[in-house]
Amino acid sequence: MRRLNVPAIVLGLLLLGAWELAARAGQNSFFPPFSTVLAALWANGGVIAAQIVDTLRRAAIGLAIAVAVMVPFGALIGRVRFLGDIFEPLVNMLRPIPPPAVAPIALLFAGTGDAGKIAMIVYTCAFPILIGAIDGVRANHPMLTNVGRSLRLSRLEIMAFIDLPAAMPIIMTGIRLAVAAALLVSVIAEMLLTTNGIGVYLLRSQENFRIADGLAGVVAIAVVGFLVNDLFLRLDRRLLAWHYATTGGAEGQG
Amino acid sequence: MTVPVLNATNVTKSLGGTPIIGGLTLSAEQGEFISVVGPSGCGKTTLLTCLSGLRNVDAGEVSFEGQKLDGPPDGMALIFQDYSRSLLPWRRNVDNVLFGMRRMTGVSAQEKRAKAMEMLAAVGLSKFETHFPWQVSGGMQQRVAIARALAARPHLLLLDEPLAAVDAQTRADIQDLLLSLARQFQKTCLLVTHDVDEAIYMADRVIVLSNRPTHVIADLQVPLPKPRDQIATRSEPEFLRLREKVLTLIRSMRTAA
Ligand SMILES: Nc1ncnc2c1ncn2[C@@H]1O[C@H](COP(=O)(O)OP(=O)(O)O)[C@@H](O)[C@H]1O
Ligand SMILES: [Mg+2]
């Protein structure tokens, strides 16, 4: 287990304390104190948890699809010259389009159900992962390919057993960016294509001026986001122990 | 006349417009240990990539066991100059050795594993099979690379300055290990090095290369008794005579250049 990060915890408590005091002093119903939000979280815990499960489920499915498609696709674009020539301009053109802008298209083709929201998540996650994979395989030392070739491996074997694992540190950076984006877009997609999920919960709370309930949802998302990020950070340290050990960064053996 | 294991005739190779190899001819007979010695940057690594089929030659021909090369052939193994990059750091030592046997057919997974363990034992690393390459010393990493190269039972072993980056004591140990393995498994070996003493100590025959574009300027038999001994061999009059001869050749090239 890692040590507790005491300064960060102290900072968090101070900020919450400041919130509490400021809200109590202000007496504005749009700015309830933290204790009220905590009470709302307690009261709505079941609803919020159920909604977050939906949100997380879609984020996870979208992320998984993006990883499964974009990692091999990026490796191909990075390694095969003519595929790079064809697809890189397209990737660079699509990349700056914000996910909400594709909502109408997702809605049109995939509907307002799970499919439409997952499509938006896949779209968002695709780019950091794709770019990580392209850059990752290109950063590999050419010597690694020679090792595979001298062992008489096929191009596909070299890609699967040498290129991709060697590129994992950079690909993982892309995946971790995608994880954060997946959660964010999962919530945004719910707010745009309303059916269920924590995004809809937030929207309904706002519409009905249930400010404390809404903030309780926000706090819940923040906590879940933190935990998910932490999970992937641990996964990264574990899978890439070899990388951190050979580059002298972070912890040694995972 | 038997077919040489490896035969290069009039090989020419340019990289990025620079001529690196200029009409090089050499051959290796079954069971021979050949050292190829040449100054740094003369094109030794380039030569090995051509001899191993990793690169095509511009002109001339390379053949392995009578077959013209077209890509890396079955039965040849290459040990790279930069061992730390040639091993896969995400695989344990034993899995790196196993990786060298991916293309071996007609051998079960258990047999491969047993063979991998046997090779690790042969290079003195039985206790380190579950370590990762980055958890062991540079010399040990090169031993893993040697085990991986030998595991697929190659007929010919090409070695690119495998000991250039290890300390003197480790170098001597691995030199003797390589000699005993070559003898034990009856391998034909071609060792590239810039270290004249190493070239003579290891070899039955020393081939001296010129500066770029490189070609053979001398091909010398090494009539030293075997097995070699780090102290006795290096003080034999014949060793010293050869050493002086090769050093003089290399020195003369430096002044000519
Ligand atoms: N792709 C390349 N393009 C141009 N020159 C190269 C290329 N690769 C290597 N060289 C040059 O070829 C020469 C021989 O390199 P190398 O075969 O690695 O020499 P050695 O192994 O003897 O030190 C070096 O001077 C190097 O700068
Ligand atoms: Mg070299």
Side-chain angles (χ1 to χ4, degrees), chain B residues 220-241:
Chain B
L220 309 163
Q221 290 293 329
V222 183
L224 289 166
K226 289 204 252 186
R228 304 280 158 87
D229 177 271
Q230 289 288 352
I231 297 163
T233 302
R234 288 174 194 268
S235 43
E236 293 254 356
E238 184 61 25
F239 182 92
L240 298 171
R241 193 186 65 78

Side-chain angles (χ1 to χ4, degrees), chain A residues 19-20 23-24 31-44 211-213 215-216:
Chain A
W19 172 1
E20 182 73 25
R24 278 174 192 271
F31 186 32
F34 180 61
S35 53
T36 312
V37 172
L38 220 51
L41 186 60
W42 179 253
N44 299 303
I211 305 302
D213 291 354
L215 283 175

